[in-house]
């Protein structure tokens, strides 16, 4: 199956700092989503970004599908950004369509 | 709030027991997905239903089963529970079955603890 690797596994920042999270995947993908899992366990949709660049407030994401990676940028981080960030992909190998394959996540801790 | 609802939020039960987790998709979504999140396996796809029919199956144990009802809500049944089944179970929904541009939205999850 497809491999989804996220880096770094852990990131500790002070409030106000910027960060870049990376997601590499081993096959061509139809869809790619970024999620934030907050300390209460909820998975929150951040971006649906199979290719190109999107921005939403302090967050932006870029997916370069031809090179099989995606980046999530967090600017001016806040303590509420803490949690685990997941990248998930969907790829087409017949029976694989429809399901999301998740990376192991990046654990982000933002200190005041 | 994603619009996907799951009940119950927490469930504590004993080994050997059977439980049912319930999910209501976002209004208008036809597909429902079930995922399991555990510390050792991470987030893994279990099964997908589209408009009442099973569409795709992942790493779902034979002790587990699911169905989607005519009103599109779904239930995940877990039986003969083992300690290793303790996990966070997510339901997700999307507008379509199998096609591109089919963003999935996740419910708040059900935390299952098997003692």
């Amino acid at each position: 199956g497809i491999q989804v690797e996220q880096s770094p596994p852990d990131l500790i920042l002070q409030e106000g700092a910027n960060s870049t999270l990376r997601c590499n995947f081993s096959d061509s993908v139809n869809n790619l989503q970024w999620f934030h899992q907050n300390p209460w366990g909820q998975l929150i949709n951040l971006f649906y970004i199979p290719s190109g660049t999107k921005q939403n407030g302090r967050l932006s994401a870029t997916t370069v599908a031809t090179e099989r990676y995606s980046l999530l940028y967090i600017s001016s981080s806040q303590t509420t950004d803490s949690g685990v960030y997941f990248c998930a992909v969907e790829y087409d190998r017949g029976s694989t369509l429809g399901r999301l394959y998740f990376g192991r996540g990046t654990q982000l801790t933002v200190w005041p | 709030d994603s619009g996907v609802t799951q009940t119950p939020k927490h469930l504590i039960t004993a080994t050997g027991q059977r439980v049912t987790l319930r999910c209501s998709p976002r209004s208008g979504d036809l597909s429902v997905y079930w995922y399991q999140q555990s510390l050792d396996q991470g987030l893994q796809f279990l099964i997908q239903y589209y408009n009442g029919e099973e569409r795709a199956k992942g790493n779902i144990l034979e002790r587990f089963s699911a169905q989607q009802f005519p009103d599109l809500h779904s239930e995940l049944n877990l039986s003969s529970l083992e300690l290793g089944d303790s996990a966070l179970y997510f339901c997700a929904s999307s507008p379509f079955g199998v096609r591109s541009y089919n963003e999935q939205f996740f419910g708040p999850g059900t935390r299952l603890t098997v003692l």
Side-chain angles (χ1 to χ4, degrees), chain A residues 33 37 45 48 98-99, chain B residues 33 35 37 57 101-102 104:
Chain A
Q33 292 186 239
Q37 188 168 36
N45 288 43
Y48 178 88
R99 67 188 72 184
Chain B
Y33 310 78
Y35 292 84
Q37 185 178 28
K57 231 174 183 176
Y101 309 106
N102 194 25
Q104 294 185 29

Side-chain angles (χ1 to χ4, degrees), chain B residues 13-75:
Chain B
T13 187
T15 54
Q17 295 299 304
R18 174 189 169 92
V19 297
T20 297
L21 313 184
R22 183 188 167 103
C23 167
S24 292
R26 295 186 318 155
S27 177
D29 282 358
L30 298 178
S31 268
V32 168
Y33 310 78
W34 287 96
Y35 292 84
Q36 179 194 57
Q37 185 178 28
S38 61
L39 279 174
D40 51 346
Q41 298 292 326
L43 268 156
Q44 288 205 316
F45 168 78
L46 295 178
I47 197 164
Q48 177 198 2
Y49 279 83
Y50 174 71
N51 206 18
E53 293 190 5
E54 183 184 302
R55 177 59 63 94
K57 231 174 183 176
N59 299 324
I60 186 166
L61 300 171
E62 284 192 13
R63 300 183 286 109
F64 295 2
S65 65
Q67 54 184 326
Q68 186 179 27
F69 295 87
D71 67 353
L72 300 178
H73 91 270
S74 178
E75 293 181 356

